[in-house]
Amino acid sequence: MSPETLDAIARIEAQTFVRQVDWFAEIGSTNDYALSVADDASVITPRLIWADRQHAGRGRSGAEWWSAAGALTFSLLVDRDDWQLPAARWPQVSLVTGLAIAEALSELLPGYPVQVKWPNDVYLDGRKVCGILIETAAGTQRLIVGIGINVANSFRSAPAELQQTATSIIDHRPAAALPVAVLLAVLDHWERRMMQFCEAPAAFTAEWADRCLLTGKPIRLTTGSTTIIGICTGIDDHGRLQIDTPQGLHQAIAGTVRLLTNPARS
Ligand code: BTN
């Protein structure tokens, strides 16, 4: 472990809400590790599971999450008792997380648009820079918030198709491409936003509207075998995506969204 990583772990445990850090040079998936320890009551939360490399990273809908050296990959293992949040609000933690990350990245990348693509991607200058995978540990009241951010892994030499859909901090502002600094910024914003969300969840509706990548755009929502096409009109105060369709308003609680204006980038 480098002295920089050692120092970061000490700072995180001393100065943030995280009570313990598990760091790995390489692991299959930080979410898988968190799931494997989640039912052990002696495992202290909030816990940060942080890996320099993952060789079996997972994305949403069973997809693989591939990340090169320089990406920031970690999971937060939290217990419902860590936050005074009613159970009905837990599904919205993904949107709260997206907002917190978007804010952290905005501060690090002044002048660049950073938006949340419902339900849980963060886009930098119109391309995906971060994915979020939230999972619940069955039989427990613990939640795993898995986050992958492209920080120092450039997409400049990636295949053209990938360059159109994904990006990295280093490709916009090399000076900000420091994984430890990004991690500290994200933890700071995540804690602040979670505390606000516990106290006043309704205040988030306007915040989500401000950061929503999809509002005003034609989209296609796929949920299982169902497809909805319409214009996104925003996110309501329960975190549901609002879609204006010829059949009326559709309110989505889950699904995968594709932008229809520029399909190559969605
Ligand atoms: C997505 O965009 O589909 C979500 C990607 C989530 C990737 C992160 S990386 C850290 C954590 N561990 C995993 O295996 N996945 C999440």
Side-chain angles (χ1 to χ4, degrees), residues 20-226:
Q20 191 159 332
V21 178
D22 295 334
W23 180 86
F24 297 89
E26 181 160 353
I27 197 172
S29 151
T30 55
N31 265 40
D32 283 348
Y33 179 85
L35 281 167
S36 74
V37 299
D39 63 356
D40 180 347
S42 70
V43 166
I44 296 167
T45 63
R47 196 177 196 93
L48 171 69
I49 297 113
W50 173 22
D52 260 10
R53 292 295 296 267
Q54 291 188 131
H55 55 257
R58 293 189 291 108
R60 293 176 60 227
S61 311
E64 185 186 349
W65 174 264
W66 184 82
S67 50
L72 174 63
T73 51
F74 64 96
S75 301
L76 289 166
L77 173 63
V78 295
D79 196 285
R80 284 186 192 165
D81 287 346
D82 297 333
W83 309 91
Q84 302 307 313
L85 191 63
R89 289 283 177 187
W90 277 97
Q92 289 152 43
V93 168
S94 66
L95 275 172
V96 176
T97 301
L99 183 65
I101 295 170
E103 286 173 341
L105 299 192
S106 275
E107 277 181 14
L108 294 165
L109 294 143
Y112 289 102
V114 185
Q115 291 166 294
V116 176
K117 178 175 175 245
W118 184 97
N120 45 16
D121 289 334
V122 178
Y123 272 50
L124 166 60
D125 206 12
R127 295 173 175 85
K128 181 165 170 170
V129 70
C130 163
I132 301 163
L133 176 64
I134 304 224
E135 298 181 294
T136 45
T140 75
Q141 50 169 18
R142 289 179 162 180
L143 195 75
I144 291 131
V145 181
I147 297 171
I149 307 177
N150 297 320
V151 176
N153 49 321
S154 175
F155 282 75
R156 289 256 156 88
S157 356
E161 196 185 319
L162 190 55
Q163 284 193 44
Q164 287 197 319
T165 59
T167 194
S168 177
I169 291 175
I170 199 166
D171 294 332
H172 290 78
R173 189 166 175 242
L178 304 167
V180 168
V182 175
L183 175 60
L184 288 166
V186 167
L187 293 177
D188 185 46
H189 281 266
W190 195 78
E191 179 184 23
R192 195 168 52 79
R193 282 309 198 170
M194 279 296 287
M195 285 167 60
Q196 286 174 355
F197 190 62
C198 292
E199 281 162 21
F204 276 69
T205 311
E207 309 262 16
W208 288 329
D210 281 351
R211 287 275 178 193
C212 182
L213 175 82
L214 305 172
T215 301
K217 295 180 181 154
I219 60 167
R220 179 168 62 220
L221 172 87
T222 311
T223 317
S225 56
T226 308

